[in-house]
Amino acid sequence: MTEADFLTTTRTFYDAIAEDYATLFQDELKSRPVERAVLAVFAELVDGDGPVADLGCGPGRTTARLAALGLPMFGVDLSESMLAIARRENPGLRFEQGSMLELDLPDGTLAGAMSFYSSIHTPVDRLPALFAEFHRVLAPGAPLLVAFQAGDEHRHHDRPFGHPVALTFQRRRPEDMAELLTGAGFALVSRTVREADPALDETSQQAFLIARKPAA
């Protein structure tokens, strides 16, 4: 699959399900205390005057959460339908359409960046390029948060909410993701893995890696 193919597939999927997805996960963070804690730690680690990017922001819920913690947030997403929801719910925040693999940002301008379950549709052979792009746009010393489902077995969603689309959600091993981050020039700060919560319809562990671009 070419880069254009998987980006188009991902965009088409989320454009189709955006409103249903946003309704289903309206209060997603309310029942996830570990996620709230990790976001708070990430916010504490941001120490700079530049903007902070939520890369693959979806409907903007995590963007808004970090903005409420005092960070100068903006969001980037492939899906215009997701962005429409993010703008509707957060009129005071900026949301832009774009690909994480080719960010329209100068080198070293971000005080922090987050990929909250947004790297899970990037093929594994494209992850080094993805993390290199994150490294490029971050200022020296800036933190990066990457969240993903942990494991080896991917989960394929076919016709979600009755829409004629399909997409595979790829699970990764935390140790493999940590190695890819260090290979891209990051220094690992923390590694958090929580168990699956059946009450949240989870079938895999949830992983949260925080890394930092080394200071100049």
Side-chain angles (χ1 to χ4, degrees), residues 19 23 35 43 50 57 66 106 111-112 117 124 133 154 169 175 178 208:
E19 292 291 345
T23 299
E35 279 82 339
C57 64
L66 287 172
Y117 295 95
V124 65
E133 182 68 349
H154 302 331
F169 290 56
E175 59 269 27
F208 311 91

Side-chain angles (χ1 to χ4, degrees), residues 164-212:
V165 292
L167 191 64
T168 298
F169 290 56
Q170 302 183 44
R171 293 168 177 170
R172 326 280 195 187
R173 292 186 178 186
E175 59 269 27
D176 293 341
M177 293 290 275
E179 184 175 349
L180 287 168
L181 286 169
T182 56
F186 288 98
L188 197 65
V189 174
S190 70
R191 182 183 323 200
T192 303
V193 178
R194 73 162 175 81
E195 296 303 313
D197 186 344
L200 300 175
D201 193 31
E202 293 176 344
T203 59
S204 65
Q205 295 176 322
Q206 310 296 305
F208 311 91
L209 303 182
I210 297 178
R212 193 188 292 277

Side-chain angles (χ1 to χ4, degrees), residues 89-103:
E89 294 187 355
N90 306 282
L93 297 179
R94 175 166 58 96
F95 294 95
E96 302 174 352
Q97 196 278 334
S99 167
M100 299 188 300
L101 281 157
E102 194 172 342
L103 294 165

Side-chain angles (χ1 to χ4, degrees), residues 20-181:
D20 295 298
Y21 178 97
T23 299
L24 179 63
F25 296 109
Q26 181 70 46
D27 298 314
E28 181 178 18
L29 288 173
K30 184 177 181 180
S31 56
R32 291 171 164 81
V34 173
E35 279 82 339
R36 296 198 306 271
V38 169
L39 290 171
V41 169
F42 170 76
E44 287 281 346
L45 291 172
V46 174
D47 183 21
D49 297 327
V52 179
D54 186 355
L55 303 173
C57 64
R61 307 282 168 64
T62 50
T63 325
R65 179 79 183 185
L66 287 172
L69 293 175
L71 297 185
M73 297 297 302
F74 74 99
V76 177
D77 202 87
L78 277 174
S79 168
E80 283 289 0
S81 295
M82 284 289 193
L83 291 169
I85 297 167
R87 292 172 184 137
R88 183 178 73 215
E89 294 187 355
N90 306 282
L93 297 179
R94 175 166 58 96
F95 294 95
E96 302 174 352
Q97 196 278 334
S99 167
M100 299 188 300
L101 281 157
E102 194 172 342
L103 294 165
D104 186 19
L105 294 168
D107 295 356
T109 55
L110 296 182
M114 174 175 65
S115 172
F116 211 69
Y117 295 95
S118 55
S119 67
I120 62 175
H121 307 306
T122 302
V124 65
D125 63 335
R126 305 298 208 287
L127 289 177
L130 179 68
F131 294 154
E133 182 68 349
F134 292 171
H135 190 277
R136 179 186 71 80
V137 298
L138 283 166
L144 169 71
L145 168 59
V146 181
F148 53 95
Q149 292 95 354
D152 297 308
E153 295 184 6
H154 302 331
R155 189 171 186 179
H156 187 72
H157 291 264
D158 191 18
R159 299 187 63 85
F161 309 106
H163 297 289
V165 292
L167 191 64
T168 298
F169 290 56
Q170 302 183 44
R171 293 168 177 170
R172 326 280 195 187
R173 292 186 178 186
E175 59 269 27
D176 293 341
M177 293 290 275
E179 184 175 349
L180 287 168
L181 286 169

